[in-house]
Amino acid sequence: MKVLVVGGGGREHAIIKKVKENPAVTEIFALPGNGGIAADATCVEIGATDIAGIVDFAVSNRVDYAIVAPDDPLVLGCVDLLEEKGIPCFGPRKNAAIIEGSKVFSKNLMKKYGIPTAQYEVFADVQAALDYVSACRIPVVIKADGLALGKGVIIAQTREEAVSAVKSIMEDKQFGKSGDQIVVEEFLTGPEVSVLCFTDGRCVKPMISSMDHKRALDGDQGLNTGGMGTVAPNPYYTGAVAQRCMEEIFLPTVNAMNAENRTFKGCLYFGLMLTPDGPKVIEYNCRFGDPETQVVLPLLKSDLLTVMQAVTNETLADTPVEFMDAHACCVVLASRGYPTHYEKGFEITMTEEARKSTYVAGAALKEGKLLTSGGRVLGVTAIGDTLENAIQKAYALADTIHFDNAFCRRDIGVRALKAQAEE
Ligand code: AMP
Ligand code: GLY
């Protein structure tokens, strides 16, 4: 069986390593993949947003199954076009991917179906938005409607920051057309939890919960990044919270999408905040999270490809999705200066043992050498029977990997350890 995976980051590497465990898989193509993924799949220089190129490649190489992992191709309708050519896919169609592609859509969906989320207003007019933020409660959260490479959310701590956020998104078009409309919403507080769910539109099977670490520096300081590390499970996500989320958030969301004739099939990511008033949705993603996937999939006991095919065939209810009773920690190694200015092209050296536990996000192969090619370079995941053990093993492995100017946060999982101790 030939499997195609669209994307080329740490998340895709984690998906590929897991899919490879299925004995029916004979070849995996990664479009475009990266220099690290090349050890586990055939990488082909076709970009993740080159939808026509992806479809042509899938057809001419007689691909049997396609997994579309990143948000852009999903929102652009990659799954619809592959399906038209008779290629079964994992991932939502365009009309369902809008749940991530438009924050205005997702907020209105939650309001219409009573799904708990922050109070909000939508603006398409700059002056109306400026008038609103000149009088609203502060802090306030300002979000560009469309995709913005994960940078479209601004938490304004002062009125001046709110005004400048509105201007930079709506007037200066910092995120292009993604800022034609904005959502201005209430600032919520509480621990954050990521829950990735498999759904075939009929049933929902949540994966093990996880915790991201978005800020660049220790102690949650510094700028927001694509994620500096993760742990799973998330200690704040107790059985009681999980049950409440299923009843108040997960099932109502899947049902709401069905009611809107936008059945969601694939991985639906719930970014949740456990507020004093109960769990609320901070964001939906129409895909696996990065770097959540790098701790969630290593703990999956069931065969990933089998589960994905059950989603495609709408037989998820009959397909077990089981996780190990263990903990995982992923530590991201980045290039110093990330997420703003950093250099590329440093040679990466790692032992075979480290490589087995590594998901490469930004590296290129040049003359047999693996060179850094991005800000976030790789993630190292370790599994342990306790959280402490997983964290310690992940750092021990990370410290054996070398490239010039490498840095990582030294406190991945520390907040989770504290939460465990408070239980
Ligand atoms: P996103 O870019 O959508 O992942 O959002 C980035 C981060 O902004 C989230 O992980 C939250 O920490 C924070 N955030 C988003 N919306 C809110 C909100 N309404 N209240 C407080 N924090 C928020
Ligand atoms: N880790 C957050 C995301 O994948 O969007």
Side-chain angles (χ1 to χ4, degrees), residues 11 212 214 226 269 283 285 287-292:
R11 163 186 58 203
D212 196 358
K214 285 182 198 281
Y269 169 124
E283 62 164 346
N285 290 330
R287 51 169 175 88
F288 284 95
D290 190 335
E292 285 90 342

Side-chain angles (χ1 to χ4, degrees), residues 11 67 69 77 89 157 176 225 326 358 376:
R11 163 186 58 203
I67 300 165
C89 292
Q157 299 289 352
T225 71
T358 295
R376 284 193 308 162

Side-chain angles (χ1 to χ4, degrees), residues 103 118 141 143 150-153 155 185-189 192 214 224 273 282-283:
K103 291 208 164 30
V141 183
K143 303 185 171 184
K151 300 191 177 80
V153 174
I155 298 176
E185 73 177 30
E186 168 199 13
F187 176 74
L188 299 176
T189 54
E192 286 185 57
K214 285 182 198 281
N224 253 324
M273 196 170 267
I282 288 283
E283 62 164 346

Side-chain angles (χ1 to χ4, degrees), residues 206-221:
M207 296 177 229
I208 198 163
S209 62
S210 54
M211 182 191 284
D212 196 358
H213 298 68
K214 285 182 198 281
R215 301 296 200 92
L217 307 174
D218 284 17
D220 293 323
Q221 302 294 309

